[in-house]
Structures are given as C-alpha cells and as structure tokens.
Amino acid sequence: MKQELTDKLLHKYHDMFHKDARGEGKPTLRFIECGDGWYDIIERLCEDIYAMRPKVMQIKEKFGGLRFYASFNSDYTDQGWKRIKQAESEASEICEECGQPGQARVVKGWRSTQCDKCYEIYLQRMEKK
C-alpha cells in the first residue's frame, strides 16, 4: 500500500498501532503489505474496532487474501475477531489493486484477488518474468 495511505491510517488510529494503550512508543506497524484497493475495507475495519482498543501488529496480503493481525482485551476478543473475519471475507471479492469487484486468481502458483483489468496487467507482468 502506498505510504501516504498507510500514514493516514497510522495518524487517524494512532493508538491501535503503538506499543502501549497511551499511544506512546514507536509504532508497531510502519507499513501495510497489500495493494491500495483494500484501503477502504481496512479503514472501515479500523473505525469499527477502534473503540475495542486493539493492538494491530500486521496487515498484509497472504495467499490472495487480506490478513489483519491484532490482539484485543479479553472483553472484545470474539467481537473483534468476528469483525476482522468479515473484513477479510469482503476483501476476497475486491480487487487488491484498484478496489473494484474482483475474484481469486492463480497464476504460476501465485494467488491474488483481482478484477479482470488488473488481472490482464498481472498476466502481462508474469509473462515477462
């Protein structure tokens, strides 16, 4: 994800990405390892779970899907993970690159979630490798 989008999340949800509840210390998350197309999903997720005071360790793409790793106070664990799983499921139908409707694709063993247009671009890049 572009650093400017990551920085927007780090600024808006500052406490979620720092080592302690007071927001002190260095960020535990400095960048997000996925395409810009999932920004809106991630931003809505952060907004929905912010009051639960999670500590987010990592946000990335893995096997073509969104992965959001966080810990919650025991009062919110089930509720928090339910919302995370909902966002991860939503991302499975959204192009990771552009945010348009997409689907899971496999090319040369690499999984990704992409729309038709981004998939064509991806295929062209893979052919050059």
Side-chain angles (χ1 to χ4, degrees), residues 47-101:
E47 183 177 326
D48 290 349
I49 66 174
Y50 186 71
M52 297 178 206
R53 303 194 49 95
K55 295 298 163 208
V56 179
M57 283 77 72
Q58 188 175 32
I59 303 170
K60 67 180 186 175
E61 175 276 332
K62 184 173 183 178
F63 302 121
L66 174 65
R67 300 295 184 267
F68 192 100
Y69 299 104
S71 62
F72 293 89
N73 175 304
S74 61
D75 295 339
Y76 296 110
T77 301
D78 290 341
Q79 183 181 358
W81 279 107
K82 181 178 179 181
R83 181 59 187 95
I84 288 171
K85 293 300 174 198
Q86 180 183 14
E88 290 176 344
S89 178
E90 183 181 345
S92 72
E93 298 177 357
I94 299 295
C95 178
E96 179 185 355
E97 298 304 318
C98 71
Q100 295 298 310

Side-chain angles (χ1 to χ4, degrees), residues 3-4 15 30 32 38 54 61 86 106 117:
Q3 192 61 49
E4 67 185 64
D15 295 344
R30 292 191 176 95
I32 297 173
W38 289 344
E61 175 276 332
Q86 180 183 14
V106 179
K117 183 179 176 182

Side-chain angles (χ1 to χ4, degrees), residues 2-18:
K2 289 180 199 162
Q3 192 61 49
E4 67 185 64
L5 294 176
T6 298
D7 290 344
K8 282 174 67 173
L9 290 172
L10 292 176
H11 179 73
K12 187 172 183 180
Y13 303 104
H14 186 265
D15 295 344
M16 290 174 45
F17 302 108
H18 281 75

